[in-house]
Amino acid sequence: TTPDREADLVATYDDSASLPKKVLIKNLTTPGAIMCIAEDNKSSGTDGGTLTDDADNIRVINTLVYNRNSFASISSNRLTLPTGTWEVAWESIAGGDADNGFHQSFLYNVTDAAEVKRGTSGEYNATSGESKNVSSSGCTVVTIAASKAFEIRHRANYTGNTMRGGNASSFGTEVYLRIVVRAA
């Protein structure tokens, strides 16, 4: 049958069997296959919360938009991934009324208390009362021998008013963080 990557069987042979036997292969994943998509979703009109100046702000992870075969879990703004090699890509938004500033997101391994990979740096400048969103994104490959919990952290440095984790558009569900995990 055509593999569905969920309950795939392969024929195997051994000397004790008179006929081929089929064996279920678990965790069969094609490299590049999306395993999960996790986001920070807020109701329409709700901004992304305040980013504290000169601090590593833990970004909200509150929704598993896609979760192949219950691959991952989220709890307390942490995304837990199982044993394996995974490509982790993310995009994290900053915005607000700060006069100017800089920001950068990064993937943090909570289980091992270690920074994994820094995302792109962004410059934020909202002169003349402007308010806008600027993203920081990153991508890396992680190999883990046991399940581990990860966070997206976001450092902001600004002057003036407030920098938030994104300004609301009020068109529908607000998305301020997206993490996509693929099989590597």
Side-chain angles (χ1 to χ4, degrees):
T1 63
T2 302
D4 61 9
R5 306 290 184 228
E6 292 180 10
D8 296 328
L9 301 172
V10 297
T12 62
Y13 302 90
D14 67 34
D15 294 336
S16 67
S18 59
L19 297 172
K21 52 185 180 174
K22 291 188 174 187
V23 177
L24 177 65
I25 305 235
K26 295 186 178 187
N27 300 325
L28 181 63
T29 54
T30 303
I34 294 177
M35 302 306 294
C36 75
I37 300 172
E39 294 179 344
D40 170 14
N41 287 345
K42 297 195 177 354
S43 60
S44 182
T46 304
D47 70 37
T50 300
L51 295 180
T52 303
D53 186 31
D54 286 327
D56 291 337
N57 297 271
I58 297 169
R59 296 305 300 258
V60 172
I61 305 171
N62 60 15
T63 305
L64 275 168
V65 176
Y66 177 74
N67 194 13
R68 181 187 300 258
N69 298 328
S70 301
F71 165 81
S73 63
I74 54 174
S75 178
S76 302
N77 301 316
R78 294 175 177 168
L79 177 67
T80 300
L81 303 178
T83 301
T85 300
W86 314 112
E87 175 190 341
V88 181
W90 71 93
E91 182 174 16
S92 186
I93 304 298
D97 306 317
D99 294 334
N100 58 54
F102 298 92
H103 68 99
Q104 184 181 42
S105 63
F106 60 97
L107 180 66
Y108 186 79
N109 178 334
V110 179
T111 306
D112 297 336
E115 180 180 307
V116 177
K117 177 72 175 168
R118 289 261 164 190
T120 57
S121 297
E123 180 178 5
Y124 182 85
N125 190 344
T127 58
S128 305
E130 293 177 6
S131 186
K132 61 183 178 179
N133 288 333
V134 180
S135 68
S136 171
S137 59
C139 185
T140 191
V141 173
V142 296
T143 299
I144 52 179
S147 68
K148 298 199 184 276
F150 294 89
E151 295 173 338
I152 298 296
R153 296 190 176 183
H154 207 139
R155 178 164 280 265
N157 177 279
Y158 57 89
T159 58
N161 299 317
T162 302
M163 187 177 282
R164 292 185 286 278
N167 294 309
S169 64
S170 300
F171 296 129
T173 301
E174 310 288 353
V175 180
Y176 297 111
L177 170 71
R178 177 173 291 129
I179 304 167
V180 177
V181 179
R182 296 177 185 271

